Amino acid sequence: MMTAITGTPGTGKTRLAAELRSRGHHVLDLNQHIRDNGLLDERDEARDTYSVDVDALALSLEAYRAGRDVVIEGHMSHCVGCDRAIVLRCRPDVLAERLRARGYSEGKVRENVQAEVLDVILCESVEAGIPVFEIDSSDIPAEGMADAAERILKGNTDKYGPGNIDWTGELEKWF
């Protein structure tokens, strides 16, 4: 089974992936996979990012579909035909500080925080037609996120359903 660990940049995907890896889970870094397989397309200078052919990316993951369970970590992982998605969510003020600490421009911080407030990754995941779960990563360490993810992986999903995290109270601050 392929499980996507997805979310807006800065929500904790890489920290969660490292912790799951340390616990023995097979975790694929989607960004590294994209680079290793030459899947980066044109650079979008205005948005400071690259485009990726999602169909080619999904095709490049075929070898993982027949093997053992794998967790695919990356903000595009929900787009590649996974069996389920775990969306990491983060309070907008916390997310903004994380992105600023990475050196993101204020424009890029605002773009990503607005995407988080509007549930962009969550909505895209739900639209993929797969089971979707949410974890609030705002105030918990990687170990706590991994505990929650492992509960989801084992089928204990009751308190992680989509829609239980709502940042709409932040709309006026970020728009």
Side-chain angles (χ1 to χ4, degrees), residues 87-93 113 115-119 122-123 134-138 161-171:
V87 181
L88 295 186
R89 305 298 308 279
C90 186
R91 257 189 353 265
D93 59 325
V113 169
E116 181 66 12
V117 169
L118 294 174
D119 303 333
L122 176 66
C123 291
E134 291 181 289
I135 298 172
D136 183 350
S137 66
S138 302
N164 67 51
I165 299 170
D166 181 6
W167 309 130
T168 56
E170 300 280 327
L171 281 171

Side-chain angles (χ1 to χ4, degrees), residues 60-135:
S60 74
L61 296 169
E62 283 303 313
Y64 294 96
R65 294 185 202 291
R68 63 183 175 142
D69 289 347
V70 62
V71 174
I72 309 290
E73 176 261 322
H75 79 275
M76 295 178 59
S77 61
H78 60 283
C79 301
V80 297
C82 287
D83 300 299
R84 61 184 166 200
I86 298 173
V87 181
L88 295 186
R89 305 298 308 279
C90 186
R91 257 189 353 265
D93 59 325
V94 173
L95 181 62
E97 288 309 310
R98 289 179 184 177
L99 296 176
R100 287 181 186 119
R102 290 182 180 184
Y104 278 39
S105 70
E106 278 305 308
K108 195 150 178 84
V109 168
R110 182 167 293 281
E111 175 187 0
N112 282 291
V113 169
Q114 288 175 342
E116 181 66 12
V117 169
L118 294 174
D119 303 333
V120 170
I121 300 291
L122 176 66
C123 291
E124 289 176 357
S125 298
V126 169
E127 288 172 7
I130 58 176
V132 176
F133 310 98
E134 291 181 289
I135 298 172

Side-chain angles (χ1 to χ4, degrees), residues 53-64:
D53 179 337
V54 177
D55 293 331
L57 175 58
L59 188 61
S60 74
L61 296 169
E62 283 303 313
Y64 294 96

Side-chain angles (χ1 to χ4, degrees), residues 136-148:
D136 183 350
S137 66
S138 302
D139 299 315
I140 61 173
E143 296 83 7
M145 288 189 291
D147 291 343

Side-chain angles (χ1 to χ4, degrees), residues 2 27-40 52-65 71-74 80:
M2 285 177 57
V27 181
L28 175 69
D29 176 337
L30 193 59
N31 291 329
Q32 188 64 51
H33 176 83
I34 289 168
R35 287 189 296 277
D36 290 349
N37 289 279
L39 297 169
L40 287 177
V52 174
D53 179 337
V54 177
D55 293 331
L57 175 58
L59 188 61
S60 74
L61 296 169
E62 283 303 313
Y64 294 96
R65 294 185 202 291
V71 174
I72 309 290
E73 176 261 322
V80 297

